[in-house]
Every structure is written in C-alpha cells, then in structure tokens.
Amino acid sequence: MALKECTKKEAANSYELVVSVDGETFEKAINKVYKKQVKSINVQGFRKGKAPRRIIEKMYGTEVFYDDAMQECYPDALYDAAKEADVKIVGVESLEAVEAGKDGFTFKAQIVVEPTMEIDGYKGLVIEKKSTEVTDELIEKEIEQVRERNSRLVTVEDRAAENGDTAVIDFEGFVDGVAFEGGKAEGYNLSLGSGNFIPGFEEQIVGHTTGEEFTINVKFPDNYQAEELKGKDAEFKIVLHEIKTKELPEVDDEFVQDVSDKETLDEYKAELRETVGKRLKDEAEKDVDDQISEKLMELLQGEIPEQMFDNQTNDMIRDFEMRLRSQGMDMKTYMQYMGMDINALKGMYRDEAEKRVKLRLALETIARKENIEVTEADLEEEYSKMAEAYKMDADKVKDAVPADSLTEDIKVQKALTLVKDSAEIK
C-alpha cells in the first residue's frame, strides 16, 4: 500500500488522498471475502459452499469479489496513507475506486484531518485559588446536613400546614369539570415548598388544617409535558389527612455516638475539620485545573472540524451505553424512560464534548511548540500504573493500549503539568 498523491482542498482541514493497494494485499483480501461468501453461494455441480473461487469468478465475472475486498483494504490503506502524509484523519467524507485489477487497485479518499492549531500566552497564567480555610460556619453546616439525614417526620395537630411540612393528601383534578388522566391520587406525601407540583398548587395547601376538604385552582404551564393540559385552568379537590414536620436530633454526645465512631462532640468536630479540610483542598486543586483548562481553550486559535466534536460526542455516548449495560439497562429502554431521542442525547453531551476536544488540541499544540518528548521510561511507568489500576499483567495492557496512543496521552499530561507549574496561583 502506498500514498500516490495528497492534495489540500479549499475547505479547511480537507484533503484528497490518492492511494494504491498492491496486488498481493488485494489478492489476500479477495481470498478472505471468497471464503466468507462461498458458504452462501450455490453453483450447479458443487455442494453448497464448496464451489472453487475460479468457478464463481468464471460464472459471475472476475470482479465479483472486488467491492467487498476493497472494503477490507480501506481501513489499513487509509491509516498507512495518512501516516505517510503526516495527517490525522478525523472523518472520511467519501471513498471512490479509480481502477482495479489483479495487480491491485487505486482509490480516492476525501478526508477531514485534525487541524494544526496555534496557542500563545499559556505560560504564567494567573489563577485565583479557592480558600481552603475550615471555618466554624463550615463545620456547623456539615453538622446540619448530618442532622437533616437523621431527621424524622412527626405528626402535627396543633397548627395549620406551613412551607417545609409534608402534607398527606388525596387530590383529584378537573379541567372544564371533567376529571383528567393522571390527576388523581390518595395518601400522597407532598413536601410543601418543594416546587414539585404545578405552580400555585403547594402554596394553596399552606394554611389549611388536618381533616379539611377544600378546592384549589391552578393553571397548567404552557410548556407542560401533557399536550392536552398545556395552558389549561384546572380545579383540584383536596382532602388534607395529615400534616407532618421534620424533627431534627439535638446535637450532643449521644447524637455523635449515633452518627459516628466518636464519643464526644469535640472529637466529632475535630474529625470533621480534617475531613472538610481534605475535601476543600481537593476541590481547590480541581478548580485550579478547571480555570487553567478554560483559559487554554480561550487561547486556542484555529478552525476545528465539526467531525471532531461529533466523534467525541459519539465516544461519550458509547461509554455511557456501556455503563448502562453494566447496570442491566439498554440505551433504547433508557431513552424511552427519559422521553428523549438520540439527537436529544447527543445534545446532552455536546458541550462537554466540545470542551474535551478544545482542551486536548490546546495541550497537543503546547506539546508540539515545547518539543515535549516521551521516553521509554515514561511509557513503562505509565503501563505499570495502568496494570496496577486494572489488576492486569503489564504485557496484556501493552497489547490493549498501543504505544503510539499512550505516547500522545503522556505528552498531553506533560503539557498540562508545564502550564500548571508556570502558572501564578494566588
């Protein structure tokens, strides 16, 4: 296989490659296709799947296996040609065979390639680091969250319902005097002030007392999910059975012993200071990385092909699908459950995909400008880390992760380290 011609097209990052595949490679591909297809070919005088290739070619023409054999050759041929042309293919717009015969074939490929970007001003970035001070207010907030998690609901009988209460209600909804589907429930626990129901619904329950029966009037939002209810006025008949309020535990040594392995409140607060301090440091470091990433994306210059964003989006969806399958759910069921189609799913990942592509290009550009190199020792260290993380033999990791791909990843990480080390972090 060899690159015969590489021509830059008018469109940004677009090239035409003319590639030749030698006769030996083409012959192997033809024979591979023949062995796959002969099983389903009937030829008079031969058992099904046993007809010799020369007989089939004589009956249907010598080119009978050419198209499928070309499909077998395209991926490797394109990879080799792109490597020879020193470009990275991010999309193939078309493939067209020019000529083919026993000595091989030639084809044209219209491709989109990874762009050559530019970036300046990436050294000495000024970054504001978040505070990592563990204040008394933060500790109290942590304790309040633990109290909330250990709260219980108790029945209230001496007052009317208030925001923050849980109202146990029966309700039935009517539009133009007719009950509508899905508008009825009994013994429903509604958290008042949560905003989970139609605007105005929860507010009109506030002020009523246990045992009351009353009517409330609301208007469905114009963007309500049920088409037949959008913008409609509705009346709900309510029966308020019970009012429950949240009761929080007292913060004392007994509380501490219930929620932790500490004996006293002072010991518990000391432990929280350590835990919160570590979390704040981790969050501050992540925020520094996020700020650096945002600044690098802003500094990046050049035109990025849409195919790169599409490819990254599709990769993220495939990863998500694998996670779904590991949880016993398939993508079709998930989308039905969420009421979305594949375009909506792509839209959900698009922004993050664009950020990943831009950041990767920014760091690759910095690595190129700084002539960052990756040594054999760097590769071996990374392979060892991966083997330990995945509990695999290092040789198996090397088989699964090509050295070329890992080299690029290490360059990117070195570029990020270079930028971070040079940054002015206040």
Side-chain angles (χ1 to χ4, degrees):
M1 288 179 275
L3 174 67
K4 296 182 71 174
E5 187 179 330
C6 177
T7 307
K8 178 76 172 69
K9 310 299 284 184
E10 288 186 13
N13 307 306
S14 182
Y15 285 80
E16 179 182 87
L17 300 181
V18 180
V19 185
S20 65
V21 176
D22 61 84
E24 182 182 353
T25 301
F26 193 35
E27 171 61 24
K28 286 180 181 177
I30 292 171
N31 209 41
K32 183 178 179 181
V33 169
Y34 156 72
K35 288 178 179 178
K36 284 182 183 178
Q37 297 183 1
V38 69
K39 299 172 186 176
S40 59
I41 297 175
N42 287 315
V43 176
Q44 190 173 0
F46 295 91
R47 283 182 296 158
K48 187 177 180 180
K50 297 298 183 181
R53 178 179 144 190
R54 59 183 176 78
I55 298 297
I56 297 172
E57 290 176 336
K58 187 174 181 180
M59 287 182 63
Y60 297 102
T62 56
E63 299 177 357
V64 64
F65 298 118
Y66 277 16
D67 285 346
D68 290 327
M70 288 177 190
Q71 294 296 330
E72 288 281 340
C73 293
Y74 284 145
D76 287 344
L78 272 177
Y79 176 81
D80 291 344
K83 194 170 183 179
E84 191 175 337
D86 196 25
V87 294
K88 292 182 181 178
I89 299 176
V90 298
V92 179
E93 296 183 321
S94 67
L95 293 169
E96 178 191 357
V98 177
E99 57 181 357
K102 62 183 180 63
D103 294 327
F105 72 97
T106 301
F107 68 94
K108 288 182 181 179
Q110 308 297 331
I111 62 170
V112 178
V113 305
E114 187 174 299
T116 299
M117 308 293 284
E118 286 300 327
I119 189 167
D120 293 303
Y122 52 84
K123 289 182 178 177
L125 297 176
V126 178
I127 305 295
E128 294 284 341
K129 191 171 185 177
K130 281 184 174 181
S131 171
T132 58
E133 180 187 358
V134 182
T135 63
D136 291 341
E137 288 78 12
L138 280 175
I139 297 302
E140 292 304 319
K141 185 177 178 181
E142 288 289 318
I143 292 174
E144 281 304 305
Q145 290 174 352
V146 177
R147 290 182 77 202
E148 286 284 341
R149 291 198 295 270
N150 288 272
S151 64
R152 64 190 184 100
L153 289 175
V154 296
T155 300
V156 176
E157 296 181 351
D158 59 350
R159 63 169 174 79
E162 300 174 353
N163 268 334
D165 289 341
T166 294
V168 182
I169 61 172
D170 297 343
F171 64 84
E172 186 172 15
F174 300 83
V175 171
D176 297 329
V178 180
F180 56 86
E181 186 179 353
K184 183 177 181 179
E186 295 180 353
Y188 189 89
N189 285 266
L190 176 61
S191 178
L192 302 180
S194 64
N196 290 331
F197 268 39
I198 310 160
F201 189 103
E202 295 167 26
E203 292 86 341
Q204 293 182 63
I205 292 175
V206 170
H208 289 280
T209 56
T210 301
E212 274 195 72
E213 296 183 18
F214 52 97
T215 299
I216 63 176
N217 295 285
V218 297
K219 185 182 180 68
F220 281 97
D222 292 334
N223 62 349
Y224 194 68
Q225 61 266 31
E227 191 68 34
E228 67 277 10
L229 296 176
K230 286 182 177 179
K232 294 288 183 69
D233 291 319
E235 178 184 78
F236 282 86
K237 293 180 180 179
I238 309 292
V239 179
L240 178 53
H241 291 294
E242 186 181 6
I243 301 168
K244 295 187 284 189
T245 191
K246 191 182 294 182
E247 185 177 83
L248 300 175
E250 291 293 326
V251 181
D252 52 23
D253 290 350
E254 186 177 345
F255 164 76
V256 167
Q257 291 160 20
D258 286 340
V259 300
S260 74
D261 59 358
K262 300 302 177 185
E263 292 294 325
T264 68
L265 182 57
D266 287 341
E267 289 175 347
Y268 184 53
K269 285 185 176 181
E271 181 184 57
L272 283 179
R273 284 189 177 278
E274 186 177 335
T275 303
V276 173
K278 183 179 184 308
R279 188 183 72 218
L280 290 178
K281 287 178 182 178
D282 290 343
E283 289 174 355
E285 285 301 315
K286 184 181 182 304
D287 184 65
V288 166
D289 289 343
D290 290 344
Q291 288 187 60
I292 289 173
S293 297
E294 289 293 333
K295 289 179 182 292
L296 291 179
M297 287 187 278
E298 290 171 7
L299 293 170
L300 187 65
Q301 300 172 36
E303 189 171 343
I304 304 172
E306 283 295 312
Q307 287 90 335
M308 293 191 74
F309 300 137
D310 293 339
N311 292 345
Q312 182 63 54
T313 301
N314 291 334
D315 285 346
M316 293 169 71
I317 289 174
R318 278 192 291 272
D319 288 344
F320 178 61
E321 185 171 15
M322 288 176 65
R323 291 198 300 275
L324 281 179
R325 290 190 180 281
S326 71
Q327 297 165 12
M329 182 182 290
D330 59 69
M331 183 67 83
K332 183 178 179 181
T333 303
Y334 171 81
M335 288 194 291
Q336 287 175 341
Y337 179 76
M338 297 300 293
M340 64 196 315
D341 59 15
I342 189 64
N343 290 326
L345 189 65
K346 287 182 177 181
M348 188 170 77
Y349 282 102
R350 180 71 179 196
D351 285 348
E352 179 60 25
E354 289 192 11
K355 288 180 180 179
R356 290 188 186 186
V357 169
K358 289 177 181 178
L359 180 59
R360 177 81 182 199
L361 284 173
L363 293 171
E364 286 179 348
T365 304
I366 292 168
R368 170 174 55 82
K369 291 184 68 132
E370 296 290 336
N371 295 314
I372 290 176
E373 298 291 338
V374 174
T375 65
E376 284 297 323
D378 292 330
L379 280 170
E380 288 301 321
E381 182 181 356
E382 196 61 31
Y383 275 128
S384 295
K385 287 180 183 177
M386 294 172 72
E388 184 177 347
Y390 293 110
K391 308 298 181 188
M392 291 173 62
D393 183 78
D395 289 335
K396 289 184 178 179
V397 175
K398 290 178 182 180
D399 290 339
V401 183
D404 287 351
S405 174
L406 187 57
T407 296
E408 293 304 311
D409 290 345
I410 296 172
K411 282 185 180 180
V412 162
Q413 189 56 50
K414 284 188 172 188
L416 180 59
T417 301
L418 180 150
V419 173
K420 192 171 181 178
D421 288 346
S422 73
E424 182 183 341
I425 301 174
K426 296 183 177 180

